[in-house]
Amino acid sequence: MTTGLIGAVNNQEVREMGTTNAAAPKYKGKRNRLDRPELLAPAGNLEKLKFAVHYGADAVYIGGQKYGLRSNADNFSFEEMKEGVEFASRYGAKVFVATNIYAHNEDIEGLESYLRSLEEAGIAAIIAADPVIIETAQRVAPKLEVHLSTQQSTMNWQAVKFWKDEGLPRVVLARETSFKEIAEIKSHVDIEIEAFIHGAMCSSYSGRCVLSNHFTDRDSNRGGCCQSCRWKYDLFVDDEPVYEEGQEQFTMGSKDLCMIEYLPELIEVGVDSFKIEGRMKSIHYVATVVNVYRQAINAYFEDPENFRVKQEWIDEMNKAANRPLNTGFFLDTPGAEDHIYGPEEKAAPYDFAAIVLDYDDRTGFATLQQRNHFKPGLEVEFVGPGGTFFRQTITELTDVDGQPLDAARHPMQHVRVRTLKPVKPMDMMRKKIRK
């Protein structure tokens, strides 16, 4: 059994369960256009896009100023989209845009112009749920691929075939789809399948929620979700409170998804695109999660027969975990143990501290951009793409002019730190939180 926040049983134990949907049936068909699964990462802003791609994403999905379900993310202007596409193309990566709202009448005005602008910006695909957005994109922006959003709650092969017949090359399955169901879909329909393999799980059916509408007048299906399932509630039985004063209150939040231990099953069942949730998450989260899955995917294809999940990957994942982790609906239907009802198990205590901007190999000093307070004497970790990792104590800290500092306490401050090993631009430095 795995320790830490990831509590899933290992692959062998799953194969020995003998239940109808525990083990992942293998898909023997053609993998469409992709010779290996695409690693698809979230990007809430341009900086996150660059880190996701730099740390190994094959594609990123972003939101524009309209028609997306993350109105609280920074989101992208058309100029930022163009810059993101240009950066991604240097790595051979693509950029997708979420246009996945369910549109009301007043949302339709300007849709054609918006979609044409996405096409002109070099966006490779949109992720859409509303048929009018899908049809309009196919008509006015034919260079844009249209991927069916998970908001459509697609879970069976006949529905997938319907969307293929409508001209869509890819379907993002509902989060509630199991391994067994994916195998059946792939055996009936020759289409790209995208599935969420990491990140937050919605307590409602594939995001179809109206709690936010009722509680705050913010429409979840038009980008305004207030995450009311994560709020804390009092519970009453016959008008008597269940919790005493001071006790942890009830939430409806589910644990987060993590499928790193089932990477071979995901590949063998025929998932074409591994999607990571988290456009609202930090740079540290996005880069860390992408980095781990990139290493794991590469390791699998280098030697599939001898592939093993490394403990260091799980340790890394736990350092970026926001909540306890589980395997969602892939193996079975989640139960009470897969939700956060009482005091929440805290994620690994690490904070993102700085980004490496430059490194001077003559002096051994790295120039950093501060993202969180740190000072001499603090033990930190440096992390980079492909498994770059080392731990050290900060011994020397100066400003950019070489003057000693007792702490890096100002956000975005540029400082210099002597490192034990060479580092590269866009490597990250993190620190352990003191309890």
Side-chain angles (χ1 to χ4, degrees):
M1 297 287 283
T2 303
T3 59
L5 297 180
I6 301 176
V9 293
N10 64 38
N11 297 351
Q12 185 60 37
E13 288 171 320
V14 167
R15 297 187 185 100
E16 292 172 353
M17 285 179 183
T19 57
T20 57
N21 64 346
K26 293 186 178 181
Y27 165 65
K28 299 296 186 181
K30 179 182 176 184
R31 186 175 284 285
N32 304 305
R33 297 172 299 164
L34 307 179
D35 61 354
R36 64 172 62 192
E38 170 188 87
L39 182 57
L40 177 57
N45 58 34
L46 186 57
E47 185 178 40
K48 293 175 185 177
L49 180 152
K50 292 179 178 180
F51 271 82
V53 171
H54 181 71
Y55 277 75
D58 299 305
V60 294
Y61 63 101
I62 66 175
Q65 301 295 327
K66 299 175 70 176
Y67 304 109
L69 287 184
R70 288 294 181 269
S71 60
N72 290 330
D74 292 342
N75 293 323
F76 285 67
S77 66
F78 291 122
E79 288 304 312
E80 288 173 324
M81 288 183 191
K82 291 176 183 177
E83 184 177 343
V85 168
E86 181 181 347
F87 181 89
S89 66
R90 296 203 295 267
Y91 288 78
K94 297 179 180 180
V95 180
F96 307 152
V97 172
T99 57
N100 51 348
I101 68 165
Y102 282 102
H104 290 239
N105 290 323
E106 62 266 28
D107 296 321
I108 302 304
E109 184 178 356
L111 176 61
E112 292 188 4
S113 174
Y114 181 80
L115 294 170
R116 289 192 184 101
S117 296
L118 294 183
E119 184 180 58
E120 292 168 3
I123 299 302
I126 62 168
I127 305 168
D130 194 309
V132 71
I133 296 177
I134 293 170
E135 184 277 331
T136 304
Q138 292 173 323
R139 176 167 49 84
V140 306
K143 293 181 182 178
L144 281 177
E145 283 192 359
V146 181
H147 299 169
L148 187 70
S149 172
T150 191
Q151 297 300 114
Q152 267 290 345
S153 302
T154 308
M155 300 177 61
N156 66 79
W157 71 263
Q158 294 182 70
V160 172
K161 184 178 183 300
F162 169 86
W163 289 110
K164 181 185 179 180
D165 292 344
E166 289 297 308
L168 275 62
R170 179 184 295 190
V171 168
V172 187
L173 294 178
R175 287 174 171 87
E176 296 80 18
T177 314
S178 69
F179 271 136
K180 183 180 179 181
E181 291 167 325
I182 294 171
E184 186 171 1
I185 289 168
K186 292 292 287 189
S187 69
H188 283 89
V189 189
D190 184 15
I191 193 171
E192 287 183 9
I193 291 298
E194 180 177 309
F196 280 94
I197 53 92
H198 195 95
M201 295 286 285
C202 185
S203 293
S204 299
Y205 211 89
S206 281
R208 295 186 174 192
C209 177
V210 293
L211 283 178
S212 179
N213 303 55
H214 287 295
F215 290 167
T216 65
D217 199 27
R218 288 167 51 181
D219 191 339
S220 300
N221 293 298
R222 298 171 82 187
C225 180
C226 67
Q227 297 197 23
S228 46
C229 59
R230 304 290 181 185
W231 295 0
K232 294 181 179 180
Y233 297 88
D234 287 320
L235 287 183
F236 293 83
V237 175
D238 295 331
D239 296 327
E240 292 295 325
V242 172
Y243 296 112
E244 297 178 2
E245 186 174 351
Q247 279 188 305
E248 189 75 16
Q249 294 170 298
F250 174 88
T251 77
M252 292 179 282
S254 62
K255 294 181 179 179
D256 284 1
L257 176 67
C258 178
M259 293 299 292
I260 187 64
E261 295 188 78
Y262 296 90
L263 189 80
E265 284 81 356
L266 289 165
I267 293 169
E268 291 161 6
V269 83
V271 176
D272 297 278
S273 181
F274 293 172
K275 189 168 192 173
I276 299 167
E277 181 276 337
R279 279 192 284 147
M280 301 288 288
K281 301 289 179 60
S282 68
I283 289 172
H284 176 243
Y285 173 91
V286 172
T288 300
V289 174
V290 168
N291 199 14
V292 170
Y293 280 104
R294 177 80 279 151
Q295 292 174 66
I297 292 170
N298 290 350
Y300 176 87
F301 280 93
E302 286 170 5
D303 190 1
E305 298 302 319
N306 296 305
F307 175 81
R308 295 290 183 274
V309 175
K310 297 180 181 179
Q311 184 61 44
E312 65 196 59
W313 295 340
I314 295 175
D315 293 342
E316 276 294 293
M317 203 74 83
N318 285 334
K319 290 176 183 177
N322 290 52
R323 303 181 186 96
L325 305 171
N326 69 4
T327 55
F329 288 79
F330 280 97
L331 306 179
D332 53 23
T333 301
E337 70 280 0
D338 296 300
H339 291 76
I340 303 168
Y341 291 123
E344 185 174 341
E345 182 183 353
K346 299 302 180 184
Y350 281 84
D351 264 346
F352 178 32
I355 294 171
V356 175
L357 300 178
D358 197 11
Y359 177 75
D360 188 338
D361 55 10
R362 296 169 301 145
T363 64
F365 271 88
T367 302
L368 309 178
Q369 185 183 72
Q370 191 260 34
R371 294 301 177 95
N372 215 316
H373 180 279
F374 60 90
K375 61 184 180 180
L378 183 70
E379 185 178 82
V380 296
E381 296 177 350
F382 283 92
V383 184
T388 300
F389 174 88
F390 65 91
R391 186 179 289 116
Q392 72 166 73
T393 299
I394 296 176
T395 57
E396 298 180 62
L397 174 65
T398 76
D399 63 18
V400 291
D401 297 320
Q403 297 301 309
L405 295 173
D406 65 344
R409 53 174 57 90
H410 304 297
M412 310 300 282
Q413 178 184 12
H414 288 194
V415 298
R416 298 172 73 242
V417 168
R418 187 184 295 279
T419 61
L420 288 178
K421 298 180 181 180
V423 290
K424 297 179 180 179
M426 298 183 76
D427 284 357
M428 299 181 297
M429 186 182 84
R430 63 184 174 219
K431 65 176 183 176
K432 193 167 186 178
I433 301 170
R434 293 180 178 176
K435 296 183 178 181

Coordinates of all heavy atoms in Angstrom, one line a residue, residues 1-2 49 56 96 110 136 175 197 200 212 238 296 315 352 392 407:
M1 N 0.8 -1.2 0.0 CA 0.0 0.0 0.0 C 0.9 1.2 0.0 O 1.9 1.3 0.6 CB -0.9 0.0 1.3 CG -1.8 -1.1 1.3 SD -3.2 -1.0 0.2 CE -4.2 0.2 1.1
T2 N 0.4 2.3 -0.7 CA 1.1 3.5 -0.7 C 0.9 4.3 0.5 O -0.2 4.3 1.1 CB 0.7 4.3 -1.9 OG1 0.9 3.5 -3.1 CG2 1.5 5.6 -2.1
L49 N 1.3 29.2 -18.3 CA 1.4 28.5 -19.5 C 2.8 28.1 -19.8 O 3.2 27.0 -20.2 CB 0.8 29.3 -20.6 CG 0.8 28.8 -22.1 CD1 -0.3 29.4 -22.9 CD2 2.1 29.1 -22.8
G56 N 7.1 20.2 -19.4 CA 6.8 18.9 -20.1 C 5.4 18.7 -20.7 O 5.2 17.7 -21.2
F96 N -5.0 25.1 -26.3 CA -6.4 24.9 -26.4 C -7.1 26.0 -25.6 O -6.6 26.5 -24.6 CB -6.9 23.6 -26.0 CG -6.2 22.4 -26.6 CD1 -6.1 21.2 -25.9 CD2 -5.7 22.5 -27.8 CE1 -5.5 20.1 -26.4 CE2 -5.0 21.4 -28.4 CZ -4.9 20.2 -27.7
G110 N -21.6 38.2 -30.5 CA -20.1 38.3 -30.6 C -19.4 37.0 -30.6 O -18.2 37.0 -30.7
T136 N -21.1 26.8 -34.4 CA -20.6 28.1 -34.9 C -19.1 28.0 -35.2 O -18.7 28.5 -36.2 CB -20.9 29.2 -33.8 OG1 -22.3 29.2 -33.6 CG2 -20.4 30.5 -34.4
R175 N -16.0 12.9 -15.7 CA -15.1 12.4 -14.7 C -15.6 11.1 -14.0 O -14.9 10.4 -13.4 CB -14.9 13.5 -13.6 CG -14.0 14.7 -14.0 CD -14.1 15.7 -12.9 NE -13.1 16.8 -13.0 CZ -13.4 17.9 -13.7 NH1 -14.5 18.0 -14.3 NH2 -12.5 18.8 -13.8
I197 N -7.0 13.1 -15.2 CA -6.2 12.1 -14.5 C -5.6 12.7 -13.2 O -5.0 11.9 -12.4 CB -5.1 11.4 -15.3 CG1 -4.2 12.5 -16.0 CG2 -5.7 10.6 -16.4 CD1 -3.0 12.9 -15.2
A200 N -8.8 18.5 -8.9 CA -10.0 18.6 -8.1 C -11.1 17.8 -8.8 O -11.2 17.8 -10.0 CB -10.3 20.0 -7.9
S212 N -24.1 27.2 -6.3 CA -23.5 28.5 -6.4 C -24.5 29.5 -6.8 O -24.5 30.6 -6.3 CB -22.3 28.5 -7.4 OG -21.7 29.8 -7.5
D238 N -33.3 16.8 13.7 CA -34.4 17.3 14.5 C -34.1 18.6 15.2 O -34.3 18.8 16.4 CB -34.8 16.2 15.5 CG -35.2 14.9 14.9 OD1 -35.8 15.0 13.8 OD2 -35.0 13.8 15.5
A296 N 7.0 10.1 -15.7 CA 6.4 8.8 -15.7 C 6.0 8.3 -17.1 O 6.3 7.1 -17.5 CB 5.2 8.8 -14.8
D315 N 6.3 11.2 -3.8 CA 6.7 12.2 -2.9 C 6.6 13.6 -3.5 O 6.2 14.6 -2.8 CB 8.2 12.0 -2.4 CG 8.4 10.7 -1.6 OD1 7.3 10.2 -1.1 OD2 9.5 10.2 -1.5
F352 N 6.1 27.4 -2.2 CA 6.8 27.9 -3.4 C 7.5 29.1 -2.9 O 6.9 30.1 -2.5 CB 5.8 28.1 -4.5 CG 6.4 28.7 -5.7 CD1 7.7 28.4 -6.2 CD2 5.6 29.5 -6.5 CE1 8.2 28.9 -7.4 CE2 6.1 30.0 -7.7 CZ 7.4 29.7 -8.1
Q392 N 19.3 21.9 0.0 CA 20.5 22.6 0.6 C 20.0 23.6 1.6 O 18.7 23.9 1.7 CB 21.3 23.4 -0.4 CG 20.6 24.6 -1.0 CD 21.6 25.5 -1.8 OE1 22.0 25.2 -2.9 NE2 21.9 26.7 -1.2
A407 N 17.1 38.7 4.9 CA 15.9 37.9 4.4 C 15.4 38.5 3.0 O 15.7 39.6 2.7 CB 14.7 38.1 5.4

